Amino acid sequence: MAQIRLDHVSKRWGNFVGVDDFHLDIEDQEFLVLLGPSGCGKTTTMRMIAGLEDPSGGEIWIGDREVTSLDPKDRDVAMVFQSYGLYPNMTVWENIRFPLKVRKVPEAEHEERVARAAAMVELEDFMHRKPAALSGGQRQRVALARAIVREPQVFLMDEPLSNLDAKLRVSTRAQIKNLSHELKVTTIYVTHDQIEAMTLADRVVVMKAGVVQQVGTPTDIYDNPANTFVAGFIGSPAMNLMEGEITEGTFKGDRVSVPGLSGANGKVTLGFRAEDASVTEAGQGAINASVYSMELLGDATMVTVRAGGTMVAVKAAKDYRARIGEPVGIALSEGITHLFDATTGTRIA
């Protein structure tokens, strides 16, 4: 069993706070994604779990052991890095076998365990090549196999897809998802890519400036963001956010008027997703503005309008067409808008 507990873990360098009071229980076999922009503390959190960084405060537990002061080799974790970290003078077979050799696993087991790990990531035909003769995607699969062959309690993956092109990212992401299902090993995955987080995770931890902003399933975080940071970070495109004021149940802002809102008065931020709005005739929508740009996405057309100083994106039908500068209306469906405190950014229930 590899349940992980981060008990009020912090990391500081002088006056700089890298991670602030991180408290979370990660379930056995859970796939947890740490998500956030560069410098938010997600990699530092992973490095503390791995033992590569010492926490400034708090405790780290893996299973029933406190591992806060243990060396990395004694924590039974395997890491997959962004940079692959392969040995260029070794073949694929030797690279995958290397962790078994270091940990003094009986040689009689090496062949079977290496072959099994290689088969999981479809590397059987490349075992005698060296890394220089492999593509980026193949090298990343070697790094995955080298982690799998150890059969650890915990996998730690630090932006493993960042060096791959868009097509390879999609296929390798699917492979990681399938491996997680097959191996049933607790996995912590670091990324700044919200699409990776949404597609891979059982739960997502959204971080900003060392502080956890929200923890939840991908669906919960997408549908019910805790604040404007999460709303603006999750989703492609991000949630539309418009500043304004509610008076007598009607939100009014620059070129926008939305009636039927209760539970808040005064200055607020209104949020809604691109797919929860629709393009209608000029003067007939909650938002009335001119087309700023149009993007054909294949399955839809992304229409962007400029409402005052705010860009608003809306998904229209794939055959929708309009000229740049043409006036249009944006209709909002009832019950799909989100309200946030204008000062703190916190969601208003």
Side-chain angles (χ1 to χ4, degrees):
M1 181 174 175
Q3 186 182 31
I4 299 171
R5 165 168 280 201
L6 301 175
D7 192 1
H8 298 286
V9 172
S10 299
K11 180 64 179 179
R12 293 178 174 83
W13 292 273
N15 293 326
F16 178 77
V17 179
V19 177
D20 187 24
D21 195 32
F22 193 118
H23 185 75
L24 185 68
D25 288 329
I26 304 165
E27 297 301 321
D28 182 39
Q29 301 182 17
E30 183 175 14
F31 197 116
L32 184 88
V33 173
L34 303 178
L35 174 69
S38 297
C40 72
K42 55 190 186 296
T43 295
T44 300
T45 301
M46 173 175 284
R47 288 175 62 84
M48 288 191 287
I49 296 169
L52 302 176
E53 294 278 1
D54 294 325
S56 305
E59 296 179 348
I60 299 171
W61 291 74
I62 298 178
D64 57 1
R65 294 192 306 157
E66 187 195 347
V67 300
T68 316
S69 58
L70 293 183
D71 291 336
K73 64 182 177 63
D74 299 321
R75 300 193 183 199
D76 197 15
V77 301
M79 287 195 74
V80 180
F81 297 97
Q82 176 182 349
S83 59
Y84 315 139
L86 304 181
Y87 297 100
N89 59 319
M90 295 183 183
T91 63
V92 168
W93 190 90
E94 291 166 334
N95 265 285
I96 298 173
R97 182 186 75 135
F98 189 74
L100 302 179
K101 189 176 177 182
V102 169
R103 296 175 74 84
K104 297 181 170 53
V105 174
E107 289 201 19
E109 299 180 27
H110 289 196
E111 190 70 44
E112 180 188 350
R113 286 176 64 169
V114 170
R116 186 166 65 244
M120 284 184 173
V121 293
E122 301 175 6
L123 281 172
E124 302 99 313
D125 296 335
F126 305 95
M127 300 299 276
H128 300 294
R129 293 191 188 183
K130 291 187 175 178
L134 302 175
S135 68
Q138 290 162 347
R139 292 179 198 178
Q140 191 55 272
R141 284 188 285 164
V142 176
L144 285 169
R146 191 174 56 186
I148 291 166
V149 79
R150 281 193 49 197
E151 299 176 3
Q153 285 194 87
V154 178
F155 282 128
L156 303 176
M157 300 188 181
D158 189 7
E159 305 209 35
L161 308 184
S162 293
N163 289 341
L164 306 183
D165 62 39
K167 186 176 180 180
L168 271 176
R169 277 202 301 273
V170 172
S171 59
T172 310
R173 192 170 69 217
Q175 197 160 42
I176 289 173
K177 182 78 171 179
N178 184 263
L179 281 172
S180 172
H181 176 75
E182 284 188 31
L183 296 170
K184 294 179 169 49
V185 175
T186 307
T187 302
I188 301 175
Y189 186 104
V190 163
T191 184
H192 63 272
D193 186 328
Q194 50 91 16
I195 294 177
E196 285 180 24
M198 296 291 288
T199 53
L200 289 172
D202 295 320
R203 280 193 302 164
V204 179
V205 178
V206 184
M207 300 182 69
K208 175 189 177 187
V211 178
V212 174
Q213 303 294 306
Q214 188 172 1
V215 181
T217 64
T219 300
D220 186 42
I221 286 178
Y222 187 83
D223 290 342
N224 303 292
N227 53 44
T228 50
F229 174 79
V230 177
F233 195 79
I234 299 291
S236 181
M239 182 179 285
N240 295 302
L241 297 171
M242 305 187 74
E243 295 182 357
E245 188 169 352
I246 293 181
T247 305
E248 297 180 353
T250 297
F251 174 89
K252 288 187 178 295
D254 200 346
R255 296 178 182 272
V256 56
S257 178
V258 183
L261 301 176
S262 59
N265 277 298
K267 292 183 177 180
V268 297
T269 300
L270 177 80
F272 60 93
R273 296 284 181 193
E275 64 271 22
D276 291 332
S278 58
V279 182
T280 186
E281 293 182 15
Q284 302 298 310
I287 302 169
N288 293 284
S290 299
V291 174
Y292 183 81
S293 72
M294 276 192 23
E295 301 168 87
L296 306 182
L297 305 180
D299 62 337
T301 300
M302 189 69 70
V303 180
T304 302
V305 303
R306 185 196 287 274
T310 304
M311 295 294 189
V312 176
V314 181
K315 279 189 177 179
K318 63 181 180 180
D319 58 352
Y320 178 82
R321 297 293 182 271
R323 298 183 304 278
I324 291 178
E326 182 179 335
V328 295
I330 305 297
L332 303 182
S333 304
E334 290 185 18
I336 51 77
T337 53
H338 306 259
L339 295 178
F340 304 91
D341 186 280
T343 303
T344 65
T346 305
R347 180 185 182 85
I348 300 172

